[in-house]
Amino acid sequence: DAGVIQSPRHEVTEMGQEVTLRCKPISGHDYLFWYRQTMMRGLELLIYFNNNVPIDDSGMPEDRFSAKMPNASFSTLKIQPSEPRDSAVYFCASKGGGLANTDTQYFGPGTRLTVL
Amino acid sequence: GNSVTQMEGPVTLSEEAFLTINCTYTATGYPSLFWYVQYPGEGLQLLLKATKADDKGSNKGFEATYRKETTSFHLEKGSVQVSDSAVYFCALSSPQTGANNLFFGTGTRLTVIP
């Protein structure tokens, strides 16, 4: 299994630009999670999906952030417009559901975002 | 609510020293407990877990025991190696949230010197 795949691994952009982060979960996993990691706030859950439907987006910081999951093998996290305080490492994770439900999440390698 | 408090770092140890990283939790009901490890430049990896009281999770020489009476899940290793240098996260998942959310501690950075 290839594991959770994220792209790009690194992104440097200027304030005000749109940023799109991408994630491919492990095949067969029904849950997908987006996290943000910063030195100040640690690891924060932003949003998670079950069967492509957003279940809890209470961690999304503001309207500049949006996430979609158009199908079971792809999700995006978009920031528009980006601000320097959005600089962080963004992780995607997935886990199994249904009959194979498990509470173990599998993380991707992360996208390091720098907003200048 | 659900929360995890873990020992602040950084922790610096010499190779072959004994490691303890403390973790306590607050949760409603009976959560599952986890230790995740993050090596430099990588994502988090599950190190070990325990799903009920008195369970012991173990992996790669690390151990942690689910102690309901003290609401703790301390991570231990008898003899650390340089390759264990990483950030360690304690986490819980609560059945009250459908066991879907993971609540993480702040992480403890471990550096092992030769």
Side-chain angles (χ1 to χ4, degrees):
Chain A
D1 197 322
V4 175
I5 299 172
Q6 291 187 246
S7 65
R9 292 294 309 274
H10 302 273
E11 177 81 29
V12 180
T13 191
E14 293 188 346
M15 183 173 63
Q17 297 298 304
E18 177 180 295
V19 175
T20 300
L21 311 181
R22 297 173 176 78
C23 176
K24 176 178 169 55
I26 292 173
S27 178
H29 280 188
D30 295 346
Y31 289 84
L32 184 140
F33 304 82
W34 282 101
Y35 291 89
R36 177 172 67 177
Q37 185 179 40
T38 62
M39 290 291 291
M40 292 298 295
R41 301 174 67 88
L43 201 60
E44 304 172 278
L45 175 67
L46 299 177
I47 185 172
Y48 80 90
F49 296 82
N50 177 216
N51 291 323
N52 313 336
V53 177
I55 303 300
D56 183 356
D57 65 354
S58 59
M60 296 285 265
E62 48 198 273
D63 291 345
R64 296 185 298 107
F65 285 69
S66 62
K68 294 182 180 178
M69 193 164 185
N71 57 63
S73 59
F74 183 65
S75 176
T76 59
L77 177 67
K78 185 177 293 186
I79 308 173
Q80 167 63 17
S82 58
E83 296 183 2
R85 60 192 169 120
D86 302 330
S87 298
V89 181
Y90 291 82
F91 289 104
C92 178
S94 69
K95 81 177 184 80
L99 292 178
N101 192 19
T102 168
D103 48 13
T104 300
Q105 294 183 20
Y106 297 85
F107 282 73
T111 296
R112 181 175 295 278
L113 173 65
T114 302
V115 183
L116 303 175
Chain B
N2 299 300
S3 67
V4 173
T5 301
Q6 65 179 102
M7 161 182 177
E8 287 193 20
V11 175
T12 302
L13 295 174
S14 297
E15 205 165 23
E16 299 184 2
F18 184 85
L19 169 71
T20 300
I21 301 178
N22 290 338
C23 172
T24 57
Y25 67 89
T26 302
T28 305
Y30 303 95
S32 294
L33 301 173
F34 306 80
W35 278 100
Y36 277 80
V37 59
Q38 184 179 25
Y39 298 104
E42 299 183 12
L44 279 70
Q45 302 174 24
L46 178 66
L47 180 60
L48 53 85
K49 73 176 191 179
T51 58
K52 60 183 188 295
D54 300 325
D55 267 3
K56 177 186 285 188
S58 61
N59 186 24
K60 300 181 181 180
F62 291 88
E63 293 183 340
T65 301
Y66 189 143
R67 300 288 189 198
K68 186 172 183 297
E69 63 276 13
T70 55
T71 62
S72 65
F73 193 55
H74 304 322
L75 183 68
E76 296 183 336
K77 186 173 185 182
S79 176
V80 293
Q81 305 300 311
V82 173
S83 58
D84 294 326
S85 298
V87 181
Y88 293 82
F89 293 89
C90 186
L92 70 84
S93 71
S94 169
Q96 274 64 40
T97 58
N100 292 323
N101 290 19
L102 278 178
F103 296 87
F104 285 93
T106 53
T108 302
R109 181 177 299 277
L110 170 67
T111 301
V112 181
I113 55 177

